[in-house]
Amino acid sequence: MTRIDDKFAALRAEGKKAFVAYLMAGDPDAATSMEVMKGLPDAGVDIIELGVPFTDPMADGPTIQLAGQRALEGGMTLQKTLDMAAEFRKGDDTTPIVLMGYYNPIYNRGVARFLDDAKAAGVDGLIVVDLPPEEDDELCIPAQKAGLNFIRLATPTTDDKRLPKVLTNTSGFVYYVSITGITGSAEAEAADVGPEVARIKAQTDLPIIVGFGIKTPERSEAIAKVADGSVVGSAIVDLIGKGKPVAEVLDFVKGLADGAHRA
Amino acid sequence: MADDLFNSFMNGPDEKGRFGDFGGRFVSETLMPLILELEAQYEHAKTDQSFWDEMEFLWKHYVGRPSPLYFAERLTEELGGAKIYLKRDELNHTGAHKINNVLGQIILARRMGKTRIIAETGAGQHGVATATVCAKFGLKCIVYMGAHDVERQAPNVFRMKLLGAEVVPVTSGRGTLKDAMNDALRDWVTNVRDTFYCIGTVAGPHPYPAMVRDFQAIIGKEAKEQMMEAEGRLPDTIIAAIGGGSNAMGLFYPFLDDKSVRIIGVEAGGKGVNEKMEHCASLTGGRPGVLHGNRTYLLQDEDGQILEGHSISAGLDYPGIGPEHSWLHDIGRAEYVSITDTEALEAFQLLCQTEGIIPALEPSHAMGHVMKIAGDLPKDHIICMNLCGRGDKDIFTVAKALGTDMAGLSD
């Protein structure tokens, strides 16, 4: 059992849907992103996705790309991202942290060393965008062995024939990408998402969290209603990118979280 | 026979799309079903004679293949050693080897019912080739090109527009070829149903490295036959320039099992392979990593962030290299060297003056290495170099580098 499993068990017991928030480590600077991260649980965030900046985020839209660039320009690294997780853990031992990013910085560090360090820093799960099931030997299997959840993306192009392959070796939860596209683009329609979630649910007992294109509390609620929870990334990162004060960012997050929790 | 097959260098990639440890399918889940479908369709087309019949017809009547194998007599005399042959792929329609591959991919796209073609381009040669073939078949064409390259390759940008393509200047990241590839992948993720991504080099997720190599292998296949005809034997050394490495892979592949043939790939040394990474020599100055769907040698910093290279040639300005080259490098079947901007410029001028051929800056790097080694080789040593592109597109860059004011020349 990881903190992610515990969190979903607790939410289920309360009859609540989950709200997952993404922020880019080091955006716009290390101190500010640390402050935002520490404020997320009180804003109602159930699971934190901590973005690891990468120069070539090929699945991300402009908002996350620019956040990554700001972070890298400010000197953020994979090590400093792990340091942020460790710092957060000092004050919070229950909110799960999922690192989200691309494979190269991890591969470059060495998978075994990375897993040891991530575990020690209090990381609970990984989402690595460019590691499909076909490359499970790289990181997914070693991560599960090390006791970290490996959370996979399922997409509208993942048909029923392929779904079992995607679900095998997935743990923690399934992240359903509600649109074909990059982060921060078109809005997902709850009416389209519902049947897709049902389709995945037919093949797994894992919670299904839906993301991509959610920007408002109303949408967060509508999506969470037809799934086990919602994820918001770009809309939050956008506010941080505009230089809004931390309190305002957290206030916005609270609205999205409340939306999901009303569902 | 079984033993020969086992020892062949031509069996890659394996079913996971790997050449040794390199290659693979490192893409997001949205794209995974698409590249699996592409692989299945390509595997089918590969063994379908009607597919190759169509290719061969167009190669002959539209591209102008076979390209000549030309004995560069004055260049050979000038360098005073090995006998130098040039594989004249710069004489192809659109002026470079790129169209060999584009034809194959577009025929495949048509078979798959795709109506919208996207491509990335650096120097613009792949973009021009894609725009050309799309015009011929009436397909919608969108070309992603780094904003910096749009600026330094203006003639090719205009060509693409004339051919009816939409050129999208890419400003994300640093606005170079790798960023253009990122944006093309973003487009593909968004438009999965009707869009075919026509990759211009032997990189990207499996099956691209193998598929592009197979389409470009016509270069080496012809060169081999033409050399037998001209000299009655194989060349001793074959040389080609490498950015992503498609023209080189095309020349090298049919020679991989001819163990007497020395194979040399020439990377862009930029201002010199140094700590400041002012070059694009992934094999000489990089280390293995994962980018754009494959594991290969990459220019990267200690945190695994991808670095921008530098080269005078926009076509070589890429921080990675095709995975099969990484494998050939590691097993030692091919040698990889680098040539600086300055050396390439010298070679560019030498070929102009001795043979009346204006080469592109990309093969000028290969020529730079020929200049380095030919003089010390015996006169019966045969070098075959791939002259993969012509230099019309580069005259502005060269003029600037040589301190000539082009505006002044037109007076």
Side-chain angles (χ1 to χ4, degrees):
Chain A
M1 290 284 278
T2 64
R3 288 186 192 88
I4 297 172
D5 301 325
D6 292 341
K7 175 63 76 173
F8 277 108
L11 285 167
R12 245 192 317 270
E14 286 179 66
K16 268 169 79 179
K17 299 295 176 78
F19 180 69
V20 182
Y22 171 97
L23 89 158
M24 175 68 79
D27 171 41
D29 55 68
T32 309
S33 68
M34 191 70 245
E35 201 185 333
V36 174
M37 188 180 182
K38 283 180 172 169
L40 291 177
D42 282 345
V45 172
D46 298 304
I47 297 173
I48 298 170
E49 281 181 10
L50 185 59
V52 183
F54 182 50
T55 38
D56 294 81
M58 60 185 189
D60 284 301
T63 305
I64 306 281
Q65 287 174 48
L66 290 170
Q69 280 179 34
R70 287 191 294 268
L72 290 172
E73 276 157 24
M76 188 49 56
T77 59
L78 177 56
Q79 178 59 54
K80 288 180 185 168
T81 307
L82 291 169
D83 293 345
M84 268 183 77
E87 171 67 22
F88 177 86
R89 272 285 163 262
K90 285 182 191 164
D92 184 320
D93 198 33
T94 55
T95 308
I97 302 172
V98 175
L99 290 188
M100 183 165 183
Y102 295 80
Y103 186 37
N104 198 54
I106 295 170
Y107 177 72
N108 172 72
R109 190 180 186 86
V111 165
R113 183 180 155 211
F114 166 75
L115 290 173
D116 285 349
D117 296 347
K119 191 87 181 136
V123 169
D124 305 286
L126 306 172
I127 299 177
V128 183
V129 182
D130 50 355
L131 284 178
E134 280 73 5
E135 304 292 353
D136 268 358
D137 294 340
E138 295 282 334
L139 179 64
C140 172
I141 309 269
Q144 313 262 20
K145 278 190 187 143
L148 289 170
N149 286 134
F150 195 86
I151 294 129
R152 192 108 56 196
L153 307 180
T155 74
T157 60
T158 314
D159 61 19
D160 285 338
K161 211 175 110 219
R162 184 170 167 75
L163 200 49
K165 197 173 175 86
V166 170
L167 295 172
T168 309
N169 298 332
T170 297
S171 62
F173 60 92
V174 177
Y175 185 141
Y176 180 67
V177 175
S178 57
I179 52 159
T180 57
I182 48 182
T183 51
S185 46
E187 284 202 337
E189 290 296 334
D192 296 336
V193 172
E196 288 292 294
V197 171
R199 181 169 76 88
I200 301 168
K201 282 227 173 261
Q203 297 201 29
T204 183
D205 293 330
L206 289 170
I208 319 289
I209 304 300
V210 178
F212 276 43
I214 302 171
K215 298 182 176 76
T216 63
E218 294 71 31
R219 190 68 62 171
S220 176
E221 180 181 353
I223 292 291
K225 203 167 261 169
V226 297
D228 296 303
S230 60
V231 191
V232 178
S234 295
I236 299 168
V237 171
D238 193 41
L239 282 192
I240 296 173
K242 283 177 179 149
K244 301 288 183 197
V246 171
E248 192 175 325
V249 172
L250 291 174
D251 207 41
F252 177 67
V253 172
K254 187 168 187 311
L256 296 163
D258 289 348
H261 291 149
R262 269 196 304 274
Chain B
M1 182 66 194
D3 196 42
D4 284 352
L5 265 178
F6 184 74
N7 287 318
S8 172
F9 292 110
M10 297 171 71
N11 292 340
D14 65 17
E15 71 283 356
K16 289 186 78 185
R18 300 288 181 92
F19 303 91
D21 200 28
F22 300 104
R25 289 182 282 224
F26 297 89
V27 297
S28 63
E29 174 59 24
T30 311
L31 290 183
M32 204 55 223
L34 279 76
I35 65 168
L36 290 175
E37 191 203 350
L38 176 62
E39 184 185 347
Q41 296 277 349
Y42 176 59
E43 285 304 316
H44 179 257
K46 213 165 72 172
T47 54
D48 179 352
Q49 191 51 46
S50 71
F51 176 80
W52 291 105
D53 287 347
E54 190 176 0
M55 287 285 283
E56 271 155 32
F57 180 87
L58 290 168
W59 269 339
K60 183 174 177 191
H61 299 283
Y62 191 66
V63 176
R65 301 208 72 91
S67 69
L69 181 72
Y70 168 74
F71 171 45
E73 199 173 352
R74 286 198 65 221
L75 178 70
T76 298
E77 274 171 32
E78 175 74 24
L79 297 177
K83 204 168 174 183
I84 300 157
Y85 280 86
L86 303 175
K87 178 63 174 160
R88 302 285 306 273
D89 252 53
E90 102 280 13
L91 293 176
N92 292 338
H93 181 39
T94 72
H97 68 289
K98 293 290 186 187
I99 197 163
N100 300 333
N101 158 52
V102 169
L103 267 182
Q105 289 197 48
I106 301 296
I107 293 172
L108 195 59
R110 275 163 51 86
R111 288 182 157 221
M112 293 170 72
K114 304 289 182 183
T115 53
R116 183 175 174 274
I117 309 296
I118 56 170
E120 85 295 335
T121 198
Q125 291 304 97
H126 175 61
V128 167
T130 307
T132 298
V133 180
C134 284
K136 182 193 152 37
F137 286 113
L139 296 165
K140 191 171 164 61
C141 178
I142 294 103
V143 180
Y144 289 91
M145 188 170 187
H148 176 57
D149 292 332
V150 167
E151 198 180 309
R152 64 174 166 173
Q153 301 288 340
N156 272 343
V157 174
F158 186 60
R159 273 184 199 109
M160 286 184 268
K161 288 182 179 168
L162 282 175
L163 292 160
E166 181 191 339
V167 180
V168 183
V170 174
T171 52
S172 68
R174 298 272 174 82
T176 61
L177 176 55
K178 83 169 172 70
D179 302 301
M181 198 152 178
N182 289 334
D183 267 16
L185 285 163
R186 289 178 186 123
D187 179 312
W188 202 21
V189 159
T190 310
N191 301 290
V192 292
R193 313 276 171 207
D194 62 346
T195 298
F196 185 99
Y197 182 14
C198 182
I199 294 186
T201 192
V202 286
H206 178 64
Y208 283 99
M211 179 171 71
V212 175
R213 172 201 70 197
D214 292 346
F215 293 147
Q216 291 293 2
I218 186 70
I219 300 172
K221 199 168 151 253
E222 285 176 8
K224 210 167 176 177
E225 283 167 15
Q226 290 164 323
M227 192 60 84
M228 291 306 288
E229 204 174 299
E231 294 281 348
R233 68 180 184 89
L234 294 175
D236 299 293
T237 301
I238 58 176
I239 299 184
I242 298 186
S246 71
N247 92 82
M249 216 50 244
L251 176 67
F252 296 172
Y253 186 66
F255 289 99
L256 289 181
D257 284 344
D258 298 307
K259 297 192 179 143
S260 67
V261 179
R262 184 179 174 197
I263 298 177
I264 305 175
V266 184
E267 295 192 283
K271 294 175 183 168
V273 180
N274 54 22
E275 290 295 302
K276 279 158 52 192
M277 289 286 174
E278 290 172 312
H279 62 88
C280 292
S282 321
L283 287 175
T284 335
R287 59 179 198 282
V290 173
L291 179 70
H292 293 152
N294 62 131
R295 172 158 37 227
T296 193
Y297 277 78
L298 298 172
L299 301 183
Q300 53 185 320
D301 71 10
E302 57 187 21
D303 190 42
Q305 305 296 338
I306 308 305
L307 295 170
E308 296 294 333
H310 160 82
S311 170
I312 190 169
S313 149
L316 302 180
D317 206 345
Y318 181 67
I321 183 168
E324 196 167 5
H325 285 296
S326 291
W327 175 69
L328 290 170
H329 169 265
D330 276 16
I331 62 168
R333 176 60 190 104
E335 298 161 51
Y336 294 86
V337 297
S338 67
I339 283 292
T340 63
D341 290 352
T342 312
E343 291 166 330
L345 276 169
E346 274 171 37
F348 177 98
Q349 295 171 83
L350 181 70
L351 198 59
C352 290
Q353 288 154 13
T354 56
E355 296 293 343
I357 297 171
I358 301 177
L361 281 169
E362 291 80 17
S364 294
H365 286 73
M367 182 54 65
H369 192 67
V370 170
M371 279 173 74
K372 263 191 187 170
I373 63 170
D376 295 332
L377 292 166
K379 289 191 190 308
D380 62 352
H381 187 104
I382 300 172
I383 293 178
C384 174
M385 189 201 102
N386 195 16
L387 186 52
C388 64
R390 62 172 174 247
D392 311 43
K393 69 181 174 63
D394 291 317
I395 53 170
F396 299 96
T397 308
V398 172
K400 199 174 158 201
L402 297 178
T404 302
D405 182 0
M406 291 278 275
L409 282 181
S410 62
D411 286 344

